[in-house]
Amino acid sequence: RGERVSPSSEREPLAPRMFAHAFTARALAFRPLATARLTETKARTKARRSLVVSNVASSGSPPSLTAAEMYPALYDPAQRDAKYGGNIAQYLVDCHDTPGVTFNFCGGMMFGLVLSPALREHLGEVAAAGPDDPRQPKLYDASVARMSMKPDGYAKDASADDATVFHGREVRKVSAAPHGSTSTMFIHLSLASGDDAEAWSAEEIEEYSGWMSDRGRRWRDGAVYAAEAGAGWGRAQVG
C-alpha cells in the first residue's frame, strides 16, 4: 500500500496494473453508451431550438428590445440633446410616459420615473411653451454631484420650486406602480408650487432637513401614509 517498486525489481506491481487495465476496459465499454446519450441529448436540444425559432417565425414576433434600444433619445446623450435641446420639461414628460424607461439611480438599482398627474400637467404646459420658458427645469452639469454643491445655493428645508428642486420620493417594493409605470422601484415627483393630491404630507415637509443617507432617513410605508392627515399618497397608489 503506497509502496514504490524500483525499475530494477523483478516483481511487477500486478494489482495496480490489473486495476488500471480493468478501469480502462470499463471506460471503453461505457464510451459508446455515453456517446450515444450525448448525441441523443444534442439532437433533442437542437429540435427544441428549431421549434422555438419556428414558433417565433410563424408568429411574426420580433426579438425583444431593451428600452434603450427602442427609445435611444431618452438614453444616448447626443440623441437626447439633438431631440430635446433645452426642453427639459418635455424630456421628463417623455420619461414618465414611456413604459420601461429606467435610471441607474442607486448603485446599479434601476428606478423608473413617475410624475404625479398635477406635475405631469404642469410640465406638459412648460414643454409646450418651449425651451425658453422660465419655468423650464434646470439641468446641472456633472460637477454638481450633491445638492450642497448647487451654485445657486441649497437650503436644508422642504422648499421646492419645480425647476431647480422638486419634491420627490424614493419608492421601493411596490406591487402596483401608479400612472402606467412598469417599475417596482421608482422616483415619484409631485408638484410643490400648487395643489397636488399626491404632494408631500405635512409630516414629510416638517421632517425634511436636507439630504441624508438611507440609514438616517425615516422610511414610510402605506400604513404610515394612510395615518398621516392629508396624505393623498400611499397604499391606494402603489399597492
Side-chain angles (χ1 to χ4, degrees), residues 80-81 84-95 123 126-127 130-131 136-139 163 166:
R80 179 191 62 212
D81 292 345
Y84 296 100
N87 200 337
I88 306 302
Q90 186 63 60
Y91 176 75
L92 294 176
V93 166
D94 287 351
C95 287
L123 290 177
V126 175
Q136 277 284 347
K138 182 173 182 179
L139 184 65
F166 290 82

Side-chain angles (χ1 to χ4, degrees), residues 18 20 22 49-50 58 62 82 104 109 119 121 127 144 158 175-176 186 211:
M18 289 178 62
R49 289 176 177 172
S50 299
S58 61
N104 186 350
M109 300 172 67
L119 182 59
E121 180 180 1
V144 184
S175 58
F186 55 86
W211 183 90

Side-chain angles (χ1 to χ4, degrees), residues 122-133:
H122 166 75
L123 290 177
E125 294 175 356
V126 175
D132 295 328
D133 191 287

Side-chain angles (χ1 to χ4, degrees), residues 95-96 100-105 109-115 169 171 181-188:
C95 287
H96 165 86
V101 172
T102 55
F103 296 87
N104 186 350
F105 173 74
M109 300 172 67
M110 308 308 291
F111 281 70
L113 176 66
V114 173
L115 308 177
R169 297 181 176 103
V171 186
S181 173
T182 58
S183 301
T184 57
M185 300 187 296
F186 55 86
I187 301 302
H188 174 263

